[in-house]
């Protein structure tokens, strides 16, 4: 999948505007948390359009471009998605957005180790070794193992912090929406 295709998948899950009590991210727009990204240049546009209801999406080309740039620069590029197998790009991209790049990549690297039965350096960075191993793996097995690891990750969040249980169903529905598809090429597609 190309970036724009993966972004569209992610944005379906992220929705529009939200300000959910007990959500650690606080106020969000298209999944961008004001708590975590207070200097994102889209906030002034959002503030100008208030009051907003849950899931409102503002019709503004500049804002759409800022959202796309945000995800490309902070997640897609950080996971070197264009160099990973197409079958797992969106799954890792989505997890990086949902859980943070370093956490998502460490989980992915652990899955790679287990899938290939090879020891690798688990550093939270998608570098040459991670890319090489990801492209060597059986893609269906890697996809299934990574999806299972995400499931365990979400369940562990709730086990460690029961106040987050209200988000579990959404996380699991989001995860369940990802289905394995064969992608015959890797690299810039």
């Amino acid at each position: 999948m190309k970036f724009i295709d993966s972004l569209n998948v992610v944005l379906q899950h992220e929705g529009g505007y939200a300000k959910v009590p007990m959500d650690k991210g606080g106020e969000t727009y298209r999944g961008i948390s004001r708590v975590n990204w207070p200097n994102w240049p889209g906030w002034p546009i959002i503030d100008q359009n208030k009051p907003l209801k849950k899931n409102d999406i503002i019709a503004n080309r500049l804002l759409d471009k800022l959202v796309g740039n945000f995800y490309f620069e902070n997640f897609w590029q950080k996971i070197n998605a264009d160099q990973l197998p197409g079958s797992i790009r969106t799954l890792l991209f989505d997890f990086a957005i949902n859980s943070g790049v370093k956490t998502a990549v460490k989980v992915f690297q652990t899955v790679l180790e287990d899938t290939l039965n090879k020891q690798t350096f688990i550093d939270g960075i998608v570098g040459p070794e991670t890319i090489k191993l990801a492209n060597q793996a059986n893609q269906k097995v890697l996809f299934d193992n990574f999806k299972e690891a995400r499931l365990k990750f979400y369940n562990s969040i709730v086990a460690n912090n029961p106040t987050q249980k209200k988000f579990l169903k959404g996380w699991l529905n989001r995860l369940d929406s990802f289905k394995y598809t064969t992608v015959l090429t890797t690299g810039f597609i």
Side-chain angles (χ1 to χ4, degrees):
M1 279 191 150
K2 295 179 183 177
F3 167 71
I4 192 66
D5 300 318
S6 292
L7 178 64
N8 287 332
V9 168
V10 165
L11 292 180
Q12 288 175 7
H13 295 292
E14 293 296 350
Y17 179 80
K19 194 168 184 180
V20 179
M22 293 174 51
D23 184 344
K24 292 180 179 183
E27 181 181 26
T28 62
Y29 183 76
R30 305 295 277 165
I32 302 168
S33 160
R34 192 170 213 150
V35 168
N36 295 313
W37 305 95
N39 298 320
W40 175 60
W43 290 120
I45 297 169
I46 292 160
D47 291 340
Q48 289 169 1
N49 283 275
K50 287 181 177 173
L52 294 166
K53 293 183 211 137
K54 184 179 180 185
N55 275 330
D56 278 354
I57 295 174
I58 300 165
N60 182 300
R61 284 187 182 193
L62 174 59
L63 185 58
D64 292 343
K65 184 176 173 125
L66 291 170
V67 168
N69 289 346
F70 171 84
Y71 282 113
F72 185 75
E73 293 167 7
N74 293 293
F75 299 97
W76 188 263
Q77 286 184 321
K78 300 252 175 162
I79 63 165
N80 285 310
D82 285 319
Q83 296 179 51
L84 293 170
S87 58
I88 55 98
R89 277 182 199 158
T90 304
L91 188 61
L92 179 56
F93 176 56
D94 179 73
F95 193 33
I97 291 163
N98 195 238
S99 305
V101 170
K102 248 197 187 347
T103 297
V105 172
K106 283 182 177 182
V107 171
F108 180 65
Q109 289 170 326
T110 302
V111 169
L112 269 176
E113 261 192 3
D114 295 343
T115 300
L116 294 171
N117 200 23
K118 283 185 179 178
Q119 192 162 4
T120 185
F121 191 63
I122 297 174
D123 60 359
I125 298 168
V126 177
E129 183 70 12
T130 300
I131 292 165
K132 181 178 112 186
L133 293 175
N135 281 290
Q136 288 175 353
N138 175 308
Q139 296 306 298
K140 173 76 168 110
V141 173
L142 180 60
F143 180 89
D144 290 343
N145 290 351
F146 188 42
K147 198 169 170 183
E148 180 67 25
R150 280 185 68 173
L151 175 68
K152 289 177 183 174
F153 177 82
Y154 294 132
N155 283 318
S156 74
I157 289 173
V158 173
N160 292 325
N161 186 352
T163 65
Q164 297 300 296
K165 187 174 182 170
K166 73 183 279 180
F167 302 110
L168 184 61
K169 184 178 179 187
W171 294 335
L172 298 183
N173 286 340
R174 180 179 187 139
L175 179 59
D176 191 50
S177 75
F178 290 94
K179 307 296 181 208
Y180 177 78
T181 56
T182 339
V183 178
L184 300 176
T185 59
T186 59
F188 297 93
I189 61 170

